[in-house]
C-alpha cells in the first residue's frame, strides 16, 4: 500500500471514530458537569479538603482555587524531584538540579510537558508515576474546569457564581479522565507498549557492545500523556520510541486520544448553551484550520524539497519508517494543533515550510482543536473577537450567545490575546540578544532562529514539543522557558475567568433581525479569518526571519 493510501485510510478511520466519540462522549461530559449528584469518593475528598460541594464560587474565588491548587502542584513536584535520590524506585538517579526541577515542575503543572532532560536517564519510576503522571491528570482537569466555567458565564444570568472549582476538578479527574485512561492503557498494552517496573536490561548490540534498555510503567503514562494533551514522554525519543509507540495501530490510537476530548467538548459546549448548532460551528472552524495545516505539512513533506531528499526519493530524516510521511505529518499536526507536544518524528528535520506550519499551529493559540479545555476557551475568546469585528462593520453593539460584548469584555479579550505573544516574543528576543544564550544554538541563520522561536512558542503556548537542535538544559533556558510556561498558562486563565464572571452578571438580550447568527457558515469563515489575521499580524515579522526566510 502506498504512503498516500495509508494516510488517507488513517484519516478516514480517525474521522469515523471521532464522529462516534463526539456524540456520545460529548453528551456524557455535559451530563457530568450538569449533574447535581456527588459520588461517595468525591464527598470524601470534599470533606478532606474542607470544601462544600454545593456552594458555588464567584469568579475571584474560583480563580484563587485554580492558582492555589496549581501552586501547590508546582511546589510538590519540585520537591519530589529534588529528593528523588532518597526515595524508592529512583533507579539510582540523584536529585534533579534546581533550575531543571523548576522548569519541569512549571512544565507539567501548566500542561506543557516541555522536557529539557532525557526521561530514561533523569527520572526514576516514582517521580514518573507520583509526580509527572499525576500532574498529567491534574493539569488537564484544570483546563477543562476553566472551560466549563466560561461556558457557565454564557449560560447563567444575573449572578456572580461560576460553579465550584473543586467539584469540576474532581469530576473531571474521576468521572472522565481516569476511566478513559484505564481503558486506553489496556489498549496500548495490547498493542505492545511496555508496562512494568523492571530495572534496565543489559543487552548485547550488533557491534558487540552492551546497552541498557530501560523498562517502566510506560503505557499508563502514555495514555494520559495523549488524552490530557500533555505530551511528556517516558523516554527522550517520546512517541518515536518503539516502547512507547510500537506500530501503526498504536500511532493511530495515540492520535485518536490526542483529539478525543478537545473534539468532544464542542458538542458539550453546544448542549450546555442550549444550541448544538453553536457547537458544530466551533467544530467546523477548528476542523477547517486543522485540515489546512495537515494538507500543508503533508504536502511539503511529501514533496521532499532539497538535494539530499530528492536523491533519496523521500524526506525521511527524523521520521520512523513504521509511520512514514503520512503518519508523521498527521501526528505532528495533531500534536501542535492541540497542546500535546508529543512527537513521533522530529520537527527540526521537517522541511523549512513544513516545520513552519507546525510552528504556526502553536502560534495560532492551539485552538484547532486545542488542548483539553484550553482549546475550547481559546476559540471562544476568538469568537467574541470575531463578533466584535462584525459589530464594528455594521455599527451595532456585538452580541454572542445572548450576551452583549461591551468595553469590559473586549478589554479582557484583548489582554488574553496579548498575554501569550508577550511571553513568546520577549523570551525569544532575550535569547537572541546575548552571546551566551545564542551559544546554545546548534544551527545558525534562519533555521537557528526558528529553533529558538519554536522553543518559546512551545513553552508560551503550553505545547511542549521541541524543534531540537538547541541545548536548553541551561540556567537561562530552564528559567526563561519555565516563566514563559507559567505566564502562558495562568495569565490567560485569569482573563478567561474574569470574562466569565462579567458575562454571568448580564441578563440575556433577545435575538433580533440585526443579531449576527453565530452558527452559520458565514460566521465560521469570519472566525477562521480573524484567527489567521490576528496571528499573522502578531507573528509575521518573527516567522519571516525564521521558517519563511529558510523556505523561500
Amino acid at each position: 500500500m502506498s504512503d498516500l493510501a495509508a494516510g488517507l485510510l488513517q484519516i478516514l478511520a480517525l474521522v469515523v471514530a471521532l464522529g462516534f466519540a463526539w456524540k456520545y462522549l460529548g453528551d456524557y461530559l455535559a451530563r457530568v458537569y450538569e449533574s447535581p449528584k456527588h459520588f461517595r469518593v468525591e464527598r470524601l475528598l470534599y470533606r478532606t479538603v474542607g470544601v462544600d460541594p454545593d456552594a458555588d464560587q464567584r469568579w475571584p474565588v474560583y480563580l484563587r482555587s485554580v492558582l492555589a491548587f496549581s501552586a501547590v502542584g508546582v511546589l510538590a513536584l519540585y520537591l519530589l524531584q529534588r529528593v528523588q535520590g532518597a526515595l524508592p524506585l529512583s533507579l539510582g538517579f540523584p536529585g534533579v538540579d534546581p533550575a531543571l526541577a523548576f522548569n519541569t515542575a512549571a512544565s507539567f503543572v501548566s500542561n506543557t510537558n516541555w522536557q529539557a532532560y532525557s526521561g530514561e536517564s533523569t527520572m526514576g519510576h516514582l517521580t514518573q508515576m507520583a509526580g509527572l503522571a499525576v500532574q498529567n491528570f491534574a493539569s488537564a482537569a484544570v483546563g477543562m474546569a476553566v472551560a466549563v466555567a466560561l461556558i457557565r458565564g454564557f449560560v447563567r444570568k444575573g449572578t456572580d457564581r461560576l460553579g465550584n472549582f473543586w467539584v469540576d476538578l474532581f469530576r473531571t479527574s474521576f468521572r472522565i479522565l481516569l476511566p478513559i485512561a484505564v481503558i486506553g492503557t489496556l489498549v496500548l498494552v495490547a498493542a505492545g507498549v511496555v508496562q512494568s517496573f523492571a530495572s534496565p536490561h543489559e543487552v548485547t548490540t550488533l557491534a558487540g557492545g552492551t546497552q541498557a534498555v530501560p523498562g517502566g510503567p510506560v503505557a499508563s503514562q502514555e495514555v494520559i500523556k495523549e488524552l490530557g494533551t500533555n505530551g511528556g514522554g517516558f523516554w527522550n525519543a517520546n512517541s518515536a520510541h518503539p516502547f512507547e509507540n510500537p506500530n501503526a495501530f498504536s500511532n493511530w490510537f495515540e492520535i485518536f486520544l490526542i483529539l478525543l476530548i478537545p473534539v468532544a467538548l464542542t458538542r458539550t459546549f453546544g448542549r450546555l448553551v442550549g444550541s448544538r448548532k453553536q457547537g458544530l460551528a466551533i467544530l467546523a472552524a477548528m476542523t477547517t484550520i486543522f485540515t489546512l495545516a495537515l494538507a500543508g505539512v503533508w504536502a511539503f513533506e511529501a514533496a521532499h524539497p532539497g538535494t539530499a531528499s530528492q536523491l533519496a526519493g523521500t524526506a525521511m530524516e527524523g521520521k520512523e519508517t513504521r509511520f512514514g510521511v503520512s503518519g508523521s505529518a498527521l501526528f505532528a499536526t495533531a500534536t501542535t494543533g492541540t497542546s500535546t507536544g508529543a512527537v513521533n518524528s522530529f520537527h527540526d528535520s521537517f522541511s523549512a515550510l513544513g516545520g513552519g506550519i507546525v510552528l504556526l499551529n502553536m502560534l495560532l493559540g492551539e485552538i484547532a482543536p486545542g488542548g483539553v479545555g484550553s482549546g475550547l476557551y481559546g476559540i471562544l475568546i476568538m469568537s467574541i473577537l470575531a463578533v466584535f469585528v462584525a459589530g464594528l462593520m455594521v455599527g451595532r453593539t456585538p452580541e454572542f450567545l445572548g450576551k452583549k460584548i461591551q468595553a469590559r469584555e473586549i478589554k479582557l479579550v484583548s489582554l488574553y490575546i496579548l498575554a501569550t505573544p508577550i511571553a513568546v516574543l520577549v523570551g525569544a528576543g532575550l535569547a537572541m540578544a546575548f552571546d551566551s544564550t545564542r551559544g546554545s544554538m546548534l544551527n545558525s541563520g534562519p533555521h537557528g532562529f526558528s529553533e529558538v522561536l519554536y522553543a518559546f512558542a512551545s513553552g508560551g503556548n503550553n505545547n511542549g514539543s521541541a524543534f531540537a537542535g538547541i541545548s536548553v538544559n541551561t540556567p537561562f533556558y530552564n528559567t526563561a522557558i519555565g516563566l514563559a510556561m507559567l505566564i502562558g498558562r495562568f495569565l490567560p486563565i485569569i482573563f478567561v475567568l474574569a470574562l466569565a464572571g462579567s458575562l454571568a452578571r448580564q441578563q440575556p438580550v433577545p435575538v433580533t433581525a440585526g443579531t449576527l447568527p453565530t452558527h452559520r457558515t458565514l460566521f465560521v469563515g469570519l472566525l477562521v479569518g480573524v484567527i489567521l489575521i490576528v496571528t499573522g499580524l502578531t507573528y509575521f515579522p518573527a516567522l519571516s526571519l525564521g521558517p519563511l526566510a529558510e523556505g523561500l
Side-chain angles (χ1 to χ4, degrees):
M1 181 183 294
S2 69
D3 186 72
L4 175 62
L8 292 175
L9 284 175
Q10 287 183 71
I11 294 171
L12 177 62
L14 197 60
V15 169
V16 172
L18 287 173
F20 182 83
W22 172 79
K23 174 176 170 55
Y24 293 103
L25 180 60
D27 289 345
Y28 172 72
L29 297 181
R31 291 195 297 271
V32 166
Y33 292 118
E34 287 181 318
S35 174
K37 297 181 179 179
H38 307 292
F39 291 167
R40 183 175 299 177
V41 65
E42 293 170 346
R43 289 189 177 278
L44 176 62
L45 289 170
Y46 298 145
R47 287 197 296 270
T48 302
V49 298
V51 170
D52 179 2
D54 297 315
D56 280 358
Q57 297 172 321
R58 296 169 55 246
W59 80 261
V61 180
Y62 200 104
L63 173 62
R64 288 198 295 270
S65 300
V66 170
L67 297 179
F69 176 75
S70 301
V72 170
V74 170
L75 179 61
L77 185 52
Y78 176 84
L79 293 175
L80 180 63
Q81 294 174 83
R82 295 289 290 131
V83 302
Q84 172 181 251
L87 299 175
L89 298 176
S90 68
L91 303 181
F93 296 143
V96 180
D97 176 78
L100 179 59
F102 162 72
N103 181 279
T104 305
S107 174
F108 278 76
V109 172
S110 65
N111 198 241
T112 308
N113 290 41
W114 171 269
Q115 293 174 291
Y117 62 90
S118 297
E120 61 266 42
S121 60
T122 307
M123 302 294 181
H125 291 341
L126 185 64
T127 305
Q128 294 268 23
M129 292 187 301
L132 307 185
V134 167
Q135 285 304 322
N136 283 346
F137 282 94
S139 62
V142 168
M144 294 176 70
V146 172
V148 171
L150 178 58
I151 295 173
R152 293 192 185 114
F154 288 111
V155 174
R156 296 186 176 184
K157 53 186 179 181
T159 181
D160 58 357
R161 308 287 166 165
L162 294 179
N164 190 303
F165 167 72
W166 303 102
V167 172
D168 294 337
L169 177 75
F170 291 139
R171 287 188 177 185
T172 301
S173 300
F174 294 109
R175 300 193 193 185
I176 300 169
L177 297 176
L178 192 58
I180 300 175
V182 170
I183 297 171
T185 299
L186 296 176
V187 173
L188 287 178
V189 170
V193 178
V194 171
Q195 180 74 12
S196 72
F197 290 101
S199 299
H201 294 284
E202 292 288 339
V203 297
T204 302
T205 67
L206 294 176
T210 60
Q211 180 179 347
V213 179
V218 182
S220 55
Q221 183 162 324
E222 189 74 11
V223 67
I224 188 58
K225 154 191 152 182
E226 314 293 17
L227 178 66
T229 60
N230 296 283
F234 198 90
W235 286 291
N236 188 43
N238 209 282
S239 290
H241 198 292
F243 288 0
E244 285 195 34
N245 190 6
N247 50 54
F249 170 75
S250 65
N251 190 64
W252 178 90
F253 186 67
E254 289 186 19
I255 296 171
F256 171 74
L257 288 174
I258 289 171
L259 300 174
L260 177 61
I261 291 178
V263 168
L265 276 173
T266 60
R267 183 173 176 92
T268 305
F269 165 71
R271 279 202 51 171
L272 292 178
V273 300
S275 173
R276 292 179 181 174
K277 291 182 179 180
Q278 296 287 352
L280 282 171
I282 295 298
L283 179 60
M286 291 176 169
T287 304
T288 300
I289 296 173
F290 184 92
T291 302
L292 292 173
L294 175 59
V297 175
W298 194 352
F300 285 123
E301 295 309 300
H304 49 272
T307 304
S309 297
Q310 292 289 346
L311 291 173
T314 184
M316 285 300 294
E317 178 189 326
K319 301 181 180 69
E320 292 293 313
T321 55
R322 66 186 186 277
F323 306 138
V325 171
S326 60
S328 300
L330 180 57
F331 201 104
T333 306
T335 196
T336 54
T338 62
S339 64
T340 309
V343 293
N344 76 343
S345 58
F346 285 84
H347 300 171
D348 193 38
S349 296
F350 278 28
S351 63
L353 296 180
I357 292 175
V358 297
L359 171 59
L360 180 62
N361 271 346
M362 295 187 297
L363 297 177
L364 287 173
E366 296 168 340
I367 51 178
V372 286
S374 61
L376 181 61
Y377 66 66
I379 202 166
L380 289 178
I381 292 289
M382 298 307 295
S383 298
I384 292 173
L385 180 62
V387 168
F388 177 73
V389 170
L392 290 178
M393 291 190 290
V394 299
R396 58 176 286 126
T397 302
E399 303 162 7
F400 185 54
L401 300 177
K403 299 296 179 74
K404 287 187 176 181
I405 309 304
Q406 303 177 94
R408 175 177 170 80
E409 287 76 28
I410 204 62
K411 287 176 183 177
L412 291 169
V413 167
S414 300
L415 290 170
Y416 177 97
I417 293 170
L418 290 172
T420 301
I422 289 173
V424 172
L425 297 176
V426 170
L430 289 173
M432 296 300 297
F434 304 104
D435 291 336
S436 58
T437 52
R438 288 198 302 272
S440 293
M441 296 165 53
L442 304 182
N443 293 279
S444 60
H447 193 78
F449 176 73
S450 294
E451 292 168 347
V452 174
L453 180 61
Y454 194 104
F456 282 95
S458 180
N461 286 281
N462 302 135
N463 183 270
S465 63
F467 223 38
I470 179 173
S471 300
V472 292
N473 191 8
T474 66
F476 169 80
Y477 277 104
N478 279 329
T479 303
I481 295 178
L483 292 174
M485 290 185 287
L486 294 176
I487 293 170
R489 174 69 163 181
F490 296 107
L491 200 56
I493 283 178
I494 293 172
F495 301 135
V496 167
L497 292 176
L499 176 64
S502 179
L503 293 171
R505 284 194 294 269
Q506 293 187 31
Q507 293 291 339
V509 295
V511 176
T512 66
T515 301
L516 173 67
T518 54
H519 61 277
R520 296 180 181 170
T521 306
L522 177 63
F523 180 74
V524 172
L526 175 64
L527 176 56
V528 171
V530 166
I531 291 169
L532 296 177
I533 291 171
V534 168
T535 302
L537 291 175
T538 304
Y539 292 110
F540 180 78
L543 290 171
S544 65
L545 295 174
L548 290 178
E550 184 184 4
L552 298 177

